[in-house]
């Protein structure tokens, strides 16, 4: 863990990072701009984070993990900006920030390729049945005489969302020989220009796809986008991959669909509650692959996220207007 940098050097500006570390290059960048960096362990309770922010009198918060709610946002009267170390802002109370005139900025473009790579890795793990085969061999079985695998080439991947992550995912899938269909009403021209098939409705996409991969933000419109009704539209051989936000899927409905073998499998890198409860029905399902919301966490993306977040903080604390393209708005919040 990097040491914190309170000192007697005359620095007056302070930020709190909701984690135990950020990339050394970002730490150096902040220090070089007379900003002291303090840390709060990931997933600390909001009242603990709020107490630290209040005691330090922080000017900015860099959000990595855990909830930043009204209690945290109101803790320091000096707070001028909140920046997400990443792009998903569902763990930040945007309304509370807006009520105090505090901009919330995202680190756009920092981890798009990393998340796309993880989505494809999860899809391949599912389609090639890597985990059940691994478990069988380690248990002393040898399922080769009866096993028939599935082809990657020629399978149809349906992408919900065609932002930076969706576009990277489409290119990687295409390189593997997959057919690509996309649903994103805000990117119709881009989908056509890229040469992919455009699905006119989510229902059409999930009914046709061999793999449904989610790449949209969690909003009022997308909460439980994949629900019991849409799961029922899918092929019994269909797979679901979520590297976006947990609330996009109705997890109760997904667990039931997997348990009843109405779809073949799912891979989740994000969950409605993080970490998920120890008694989640998912853990009893052999067709569920889980990773701990690390799709965007690679050496390169972590450095990029931290540096972009640091530059946002420096700009705002130096009196510049927040980057409009990176601003998050409360009216996009999920219910």
């Amino acid at each position: 863990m990097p040491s914190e940098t309170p000192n007697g050097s005359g620095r007056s500006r302070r930020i709190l990072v909701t984690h135990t570390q950020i990339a050394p290059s970002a730490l150096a960048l902040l220090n070089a701009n007379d900003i002291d960096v303090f840390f709060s362990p990931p997933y600390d309770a909001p009242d603990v984070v709020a107490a630290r922010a209040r005691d330090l009198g922080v000017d900015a918060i860099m959000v990595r993990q855990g909830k930043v709610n009204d209690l945290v946002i109101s803790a320091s009267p000096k707070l001028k900006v909140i920046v997400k170390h990443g792009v998903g802002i569902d763990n930040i109370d945007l309304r509370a920030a807006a009520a105090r005139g505090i901009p919330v900025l995202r680190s756009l473009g920092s981890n798009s390729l990393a998340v796309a790579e993880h989505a494809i890795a999860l899809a391949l793990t599912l389609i090639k049945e890597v985990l059940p085969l691994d478990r069988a061999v380690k248990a002393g079985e040898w399922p080769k005489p009866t096993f028939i695998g599935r082809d990657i080439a020629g399978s149809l991947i349906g992408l919900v969302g065609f932002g930076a992550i969706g576009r990277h995912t489409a290119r990687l899938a295409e390189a593997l020989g997959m057919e690509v269909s996309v649903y994103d009403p805000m990117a119709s021209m881009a989908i056509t220009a890229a040469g992919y098939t455009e699905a006119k409705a989510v229902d059409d996409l999930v009914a046709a796809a061999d793999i449904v991969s989610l790449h949209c933000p969690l909003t009022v419109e997308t909460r439980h986008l994949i629900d019991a009704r849409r799961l029922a539209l899918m092929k019994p051989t269909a797979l679901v991959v979520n590297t976006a936000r947990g609330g996009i899927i109705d997890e109760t409905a997904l667990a039931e669909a997997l348990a009843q073998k109405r779809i073949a499998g799912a891979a989740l890198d994000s969950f409605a509650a993080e970490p998920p409860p120890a008694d989640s029905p998912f853990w009893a399902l052999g067709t569920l692959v889980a990773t701990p919301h690390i799709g965007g966490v690679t050496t390169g993306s972590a450095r990029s996220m931290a540096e972009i977040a640091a530059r946002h903080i420096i700009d705002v604390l130096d009196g510049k207007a927040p980057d409009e393209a990176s601003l998050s708005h409360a009216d996009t919040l999920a219910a």
Side-chain angles (χ1 to χ4, degrees), residues 287-334:
T287 53
L288 189 283
V289 176
T291 54
H293 207 152
I294 46 72
V297 184
T298 64
T299 301
S301 68
R303 181 176 61 250
S304 179
M305 281 187 282
E307 290 176 355
I308 292 171
R311 291 189 187 99
H312 282 318
I313 288 170
I314 293 164
D315 284 347
V316 173
L317 296 189
D318 282 351
K320 297 179 183 178
D323 176 53
E324 183 64 33
S326 302
L327 276 172
S328 301
H329 299 283
D331 58 6
T332 65
L333 278 174

Side-chain angles (χ1 to χ4, degrees), residues 119-182:
I120 293 296
L122 291 176
L124 299 186
T125 298
L126 287 173
I127 203 167
K128 289 300 185 181
E129 300 182 54
V130 172
L131 294 189
L133 290 170
D134 172 79
R135 288 191 292 267
V137 174
K138 289 177 179 176
E141 301 172 26
W142 193 252
K144 181 175 180 177
T146 58
F147 180 77
I148 300 176
R150 295 173 61 176
D151 295 313
I152 296 168
S155 61
L156 175 64
I157 186 168
L159 309 179
V160 179
F162 201 59
I165 296 171
R167 296 179 197 200
H168 281 304
T169 304
R171 287 193 287 270
L172 293 173
E174 186 178 32
L176 289 168
M178 295 183 187
E179 297 178 17
V180 179
S181 177
V182 185

Side-chain angles (χ1 to χ4, degrees), residues 91-108:
N91 60 336
I92 303 171
D93 189 335
L94 297 186
R95 293 189 180 95
R100 290 172 174 77
I102 297 171
V104 177
L105 297 159
R106 298 168 293 161
S107 303
L108 293 179

